[in-house]
Amino acid sequence: MTTRERPRDTRARIQQVALDLFAEHGYEKTALREIAEKLGVTKAALYYHFKTKEDILVSIFTDSAEQIDELIEWARSQPPTVETRREVIRRYSGLMRGNRKLLQFMHENQPTLRDLPIGETMKHRMAGLFEVLTDDGQSLPDQLRGRLAVFAISFGTMVAMSDTKHSRDEVADAAVEVALDLIRG
Amino acid sequence: MTTRERPRDTRARIQQVALDLFAEHGYEKTALREIAEKLGVTKAALYYHFKTKEDILVSIFTDSAEQIDELIEWARSQPPTVETRREVIRRYSGLMRGNRKLLQFMHENQPTLRDLPIGETMKHRMAGLFEVLTDDGQSLPDQLRGRLAVFAISFGTMVAMSDTKHSRDEVADAAVEVALDLIRG
DNA sequence: GTCTATAACTAGATAGAC
DNA sequence: GTCTATCTAGTTATAGAC
């Protein structure tokens, strides 16, 4: 409680700015100089808080994505019924709506994240999500439908329809409807 | 007709190797040195055939993706019925199966391509594809379904299911079934 | 048409002062 | 905790020989 006068949450502010830039331009195209400038500090200051550039990327991902793990855990504690799966979809949609920036970040940097050590974690997470949404007894198309449902939510949350007639929430609601319809017994 | 003895297809070979590497590691992480080494030439040779690195990326895209334009054109010449749309899906699946590398390339470098001048072209292409697969008379969920159908094909063509019980073609076939089901009157 | 050599630059990262 | 200064390594790109 003594070692915290004014400096504060610089670490969190770095993550915040980096999240914005990584989501906007992608990890590779974002220079540390850019992050530093936006914060009004130098590159060297960044290195006090993070060991490497990659470290910033990974920290954003790990700090934020545990909600999905909790959702999977919850699903596993429930009976594997269609209704459970539908509830997973609804909750997943809620999560994504509350974290559009993070979703955009993950989508934009998916190829990059995949090649990192943390890519395995991400892969396992997706596998877990798919696992609670499908089962081996289903036909191959139905298994695909379950996986596609996850994407429908992301797609609907993030991508604005080209015509501007519909609000983001309308599209997100429609995405939930489509996704629910893709979950079959 | 005089200036073409033996060298010839170096340009095409550069594109081929670049396609491989860009699809595998992504555009940013691929060094021109790498491409040159794989071909057994020097970086400078690359600059004889292409003005910039970006030029290589763009040339791959433009040289290969015109099949999609032709598909869209064909669809526009047909009556906008459900059956036409289903045929578009089938043909699109055929295209993607024949060009897995290109599909992977596009997926991996989507964020990069988007920020380039050619990104607009890509966007228009997708918009055209969506246009022939949906119409304004449909409900919002049905419009989303039409767009999701396109993704289902890509998804099914590229992503192997985590369990190895199914071949790529089986998954691709299932994807077509799911996609067709997403196209509604 | 392709090479050698190198220019010109930018990135991420570190050392040490304050 | 943040700074200045600098390093190292990698990149794109060009000039000019063969």
Side-chain angles (χ1 to χ4, degrees):
Chain A
M1 311 317 188
T2 60
T3 48
R4 198 190 308 156
E5 304 291 69
R6 186 57 232 314
R8 298 180 305 82
D9 53 349
T10 306
R11 189 189 150 93
R13 286 174 62 229
I14 293 172
Q15 287 178 317
Q16 194 182 318
V17 169
L19 174 60
D20 276 1
L21 291 172
F22 289 166
E24 191 83 16
H25 313 298
Y27 174 74
E28 278 90 1
K29 270 175 294 193
T30 303
L32 291 181
R33 178 186 47 72
E34 236 182 315
I35 300 174
E37 272 173 11
K38 269 216 172 186
L39 282 166
V41 298
T42 62
K43 279 190 294 174
L46 266 42
Y47 278 92
Y48 176 80
H49 295 278
F50 296 94
K51 237 167 60 85
T52 64
K53 183 188 180 187
E54 196 178 297
D55 209 39
I56 301 178
L57 183 81
V58 171
S59 81
I60 291 171
F61 186 70
T62 47
D63 289 11
S64 316
E66 53 196 25
Q67 293 174 299
I68 297 175
D69 284 332
E70 286 169 18
L71 175 59
I72 295 170
E73 235 178 292
W74 173 83
R76 289 208 168 116
S77 75
Q78 300 296 115
T81 62
V82 174
E83 187 41 49
T84 297
R85 287 175 183 159
R86 297 218 159 120
E87 182 60 22
V88 169
I89 290 295
R90 284 184 211 103
R91 292 188 184 197
Y92 186 69
S93 173
L95 254 66
M96 293 301 113
R97 290 195 214 203
N99 282 292
R100 282 208 181 110
K101 254 276 129 56
L102 182 67
L103 183 62
Q104 193 191 334
F105 163 82
M106 286 199 292
H107 184 79
E108 183 85 7
N109 298 291
Q110 196 189 337
T112 305
L113 286 165
R114 206 197 48 198
D115 292 344
L116 261 35
I118 203 167
E120 275 305 301
T121 310
M122 199 170 65
K123 203 174 138 189
H124 275 88
R125 208 192 313 275
M126 287 310 282
L129 200 51
F130 289 156
E131 201 185 299
V132 301
L133 287 174
T134 60
D135 64 73
D136 290 348
Q138 289 178 306
S139 68
L140 190 50
D142 274 349
Q143 287 185 42
L144 243 175
R145 282 187 181 94
R147 289 164 191 232
L148 205 57
V150 175
F151 180 77
I153 297 298
S154 311
F155 187 75
T157 305
M158 206 172 34
V159 181
M161 305 285 280
S162 54
D163 46 59
T164 50
K165 279 185 300 209
H166 308 102
S167 73
R168 271 189 202 279
D169 269 325
E170 281 177 317
V171 178
D173 285 340
V176 172
E177 185 180 327
V178 172
L180 288 177
D181 195 43
L182 284 166
I183 302 293
R184 308 195 174 173
Chain B
M1 311 319 194
T2 60
T3 48
R4 199 189 306 158
E5 304 292 71
R6 177 61 234 314
R8 254 350 266 129
D9 54 346
T10 306
R11 187 190 151 94
R13 286 174 62 229
I14 293 172
Q15 287 178 317
Q16 195 184 316
V17 170
L19 174 60
D20 276 1
L21 291 172
F22 290 167
E24 190 82 15
H25 313 298
Y27 173 75
E28 278 91 0
K29 271 175 294 195
T30 302
L32 290 182
R33 178 186 47 73
E34 235 181 317
I35 300 174
E37 272 174 12
K38 269 217 172 187
L39 281 167
V41 300
T42 61
K43 284 185 292 174
L46 268 41
Y47 278 93
Y48 175 79
H49 293 280
F50 296 94
K51 238 167 58 86
T52 64
K53 183 186 180 188
E54 195 177 298
D55 209 37
I56 300 178
L57 183 81
V58 171
S59 80
I60 292 171
F61 186 70
T62 45
D63 288 12
S64 317
E66 54 195 25
Q67 293 174 298
I68 296 175
D69 284 333
E70 287 167 17
L71 175 59
I72 294 170
E73 233 178 294
W74 174 83
R76 288 207 169 118
S77 74
Q78 299 296 115
T81 62
V82 174
E83 188 42 47
T84 297
R85 286 175 184 160
R86 297 216 160 122
E87 183 59 22
V88 169
I89 291 295
R90 284 185 212 102
R91 293 189 183 198
Y92 186 68
S93 173
L95 254 66
M96 294 301 112
R97 289 194 215 203
N99 283 291
R100 280 205 184 114
K101 225 24 320 138
L102 182 66
L103 185 60
Q104 194 191 334
F105 164 82
M106 285 198 293
H107 186 76
E108 182 85 10
N109 299 291
Q110 196 189 338
T112 305
L113 287 165
R114 207 198 48 200
D115 292 345
L116 260 37
I118 202 167
E120 275 304 304
T121 311
M122 198 170 66
K123 203 174 139 191
H124 274 89
R125 209 193 312 276
M126 287 309 283
L129 200 51
F130 289 156
E131 201 185 299
V132 300
L133 286 174
T134 60
D135 63 73
D136 291 348
Q138 288 178 305
S139 69
L140 188 51
D142 274 349
Q143 287 186 42
L144 242 175
R145 282 188 181 94
R147 288 165 191 232
L148 205 57
V150 175
F151 180 77
I153 298 297
S154 311
F155 187 74
T157 305
M158 206 171 35
V159 181
M161 306 283 281
S162 53
D163 46 59
T164 51
K165 278 185 301 205
H166 307 101
S167 74
R168 273 190 202 278
D169 268 327
E170 281 177 318
V171 178
D173 285 340
V176 172
E177 184 180 328
V178 172
L180 289 177
D181 196 44
L182 283 165
I183 302 293
R184 309 197 173 173

